[in-house]
Amino acid sequence: MVSIWQNYLYLREQLSAMGVAEAELEARELMACAAGLDPRDTMRWKSIGLTPEAEQRAEAFLQRRQQEEPLAYLLGEWDFYGNRFYVTPDVLIPRGDTEWLCDAAVQAAKAMQNPRILDLCCGSGCIGISIALAVPDAQVTLLDCSEAALAVTRRNAGLYDLCEPRLTILQGDALQPDSLDGIFDMVVSNPPYITAQEMTELDRSVDAYEPHLALYGGTDGLDFYRAMAERPAFRLADGGKLFAECGWKQGQQAADLFSAAGWNNVHLRCDLAGIPRIICAEK
C-alpha cells in the first residue's frame, strides 16, 4: 500500500512543477487535510497507509490548486495574528500585512479602559475577533454589508466562544453616513481599496476566487476613505482613534482626506519594508 508520505512527495513534486514557491509547505498542509492528520507530525507518515478516500481528496485538492485556487480556500481555514480562522470564497483570505493593522489597534486598545471598538468591513472577522481575544475588556462590534461574509464571521466568533456583549455582529453599509448606533472609542478597518485599473491586473488566484465586493474601492480606490473621513457611518468619542489599512501607493492620498476633513494627529505607519500601510487619525 502507498503510504501517506509517498503521496505527500507526489503532491510536492506536482506543486513544484506548477511553480508554487512553497510547494513543500502546501503539499504538507494538503496531505494532512486530505488524510485528517496533523501537518506537524510528518515523521509518522511513512508508516501510515493511504486510504482510497484520502487519495481521492488529495487528488481533488491538487486539481483545484492547479486551477490556481488559493490554498486557504482548499483548507477552509487560515492563521492570522496567532489565531486560526474559518475562511470561504465569501471573504478575503487574511494576510500577514494586515497583522500590522491589527497589532496597532490591539496596542492602542490595551491603553484604554473597556474600549468600544468597531471593525468596519469586517469580512471573516479576523481583525475584530483577534482584538477581542487580545483585549479581554474590549467590546467589539463587527460590521459588513455582505450577509455571506457575516455568516463566516459568526462561525469564527463561535470558534472562540465570543458573543454579546463582548462581540456584536451587524450587517450595514460602511458608505452610509450615521448608519450605526452608539459611540466608539476606536475604529479599525481594512476596507476595499483596489482601484479600477488594478482590478484589471489582479492575479488569477485573486480575481477568480476572492470576493470583488471586498476588493474594489472605487475608480481611484479611495471611496471608503472618503466616507470614513467626511461622512462616516460611525460616531467616535472625543479623542477616539481610527486605524485603516491602505494600498501601498495610496497612503498619502488617503491620509490627506482625513487631514482635510479636520481629523487630528493624522499620520501613516509603515510595514517592515518601509511602505506606508496604515492610516492613523484621531477625532
Side-chain angles (χ1 to χ4, degrees):
M1 176 183 286
V2 173
S3 69
I4 295 289
W5 180 259
Q6 289 171 304
N7 206 69
Y8 153 72
L9 294 177
Y10 163 73
L11 291 177
R12 188 179 70 181
E13 178 184 357
Q14 295 298 310
L15 292 170
S16 293
M18 285 172 54
V20 173
E22 296 184 307
E24 182 176 348
L25 180 149
E26 291 203 16
R28 186 170 66 246
E29 290 284 348
L30 290 176
M31 191 66 255
C33 187
L37 298 171
D38 188 337
R40 298 164 298 182
D41 192 22
T42 56
M43 294 294 291
R44 296 177 53 242
W45 288 11
K46 293 180 180 179
S47 61
I48 301 175
L50 180 69
T51 66
E53 295 78 13
E55 183 178 16
Q56 290 172 6
R57 285 193 290 269
E59 187 60 33
F61 282 151
L62 178 60
Q63 290 177 9
R64 290 168 62 186
R65 192 67 185 93
Q66 288 171 333
Q67 295 299 312
E68 298 186 52
E69 185 171 350
L71 177 65
Y73 292 148
L74 298 180
L75 300 176
E77 58 185 20
W78 205 244
D79 289 342
F80 178 83
Y81 205 68
N83 306 304
R84 179 148 286 203
F85 292 95
Y86 171 69
V87 293
T88 76
D90 293 312
V91 298
L92 293 182
I93 298 166
R95 286 169 167 78
D97 287 347
T98 304
E99 291 184 347
W100 290 90
L101 171 69
C102 187
D103 191 63
V106 165
Q107 299 311 316
K110 285 181 175 180
M112 301 176 177
Q113 287 189 344
N114 304 312
R116 299 158 296 180
I117 300 171
L118 171 65
D119 178 0
L120 194 67
C121 306
C122 66
S124 66
C126 63
I127 298 173
I129 291 171
S130 292
I131 294 171
L133 293 171
V135 188
D137 65 338
Q139 292 186 2
V140 182
T141 297
L142 301 97
L143 181 117
D144 203 283
C145 66
S146 167
E147 179 53 42
L150 291 177
V152 177
T153 305
R154 294 187 191 99
R155 180 163 176 177
N156 282 324
L159 289 177
Y160 297 101
D161 295 322
L162 290 169
C163 57
E164 293 193 43
R166 287 214 56 219
L167 201 77
T168 302
I169 300 170
L170 300 174
Q171 185 174 20
D173 187 351
L175 298 176
Q176 183 64 39
D178 296 318
S179 59
L180 266 170
D181 292 331
I183 299 177
F184 298 94
D185 301 300
M186 181 191 299
V187 171
V188 58
S189 182
N190 180 18
Y193 55 71
I194 304 298
T195 68
Q197 178 60 38
E198 289 167 341
M199 289 294 293
T200 69
E201 302 167 352
L202 294 173
D203 289 343
R204 171 177 159 75
S205 62
V206 177
D207 184 42
Y209 295 101
E210 299 203 56
H212 287 201
L213 181 66
L215 294 168
Y216 182 55
T219 302
D220 62 359
L222 298 174
D223 283 2
F224 285 82
Y225 304 102
R226 287 193 188 90
M228 286 189 284
E230 301 167 5
R231 50 185 190 282
F234 52 84
R235 286 181 291 163
L236 269 180
D238 289 342
K241 298 180 182 296
L242 177 140
F243 299 94
E245 183 172 315
C246 59
W248 68 279
K249 293 187 290 186
Q250 64 191 171
Q252 194 58 57
Q253 289 176 286
D256 287 346
L257 292 170
F258 288 89
S259 296
W263 289 67
N264 300 319
N265 194 23
V266 179
H267 60 283
L268 293 164
R269 293 190 186 183
C270 298
D271 61 17
L272 273 178
I275 299 171
R277 291 306 302 266
I278 303 171
I279 302 158
C280 308
E282 294 180 6
K283 192 65 173 175

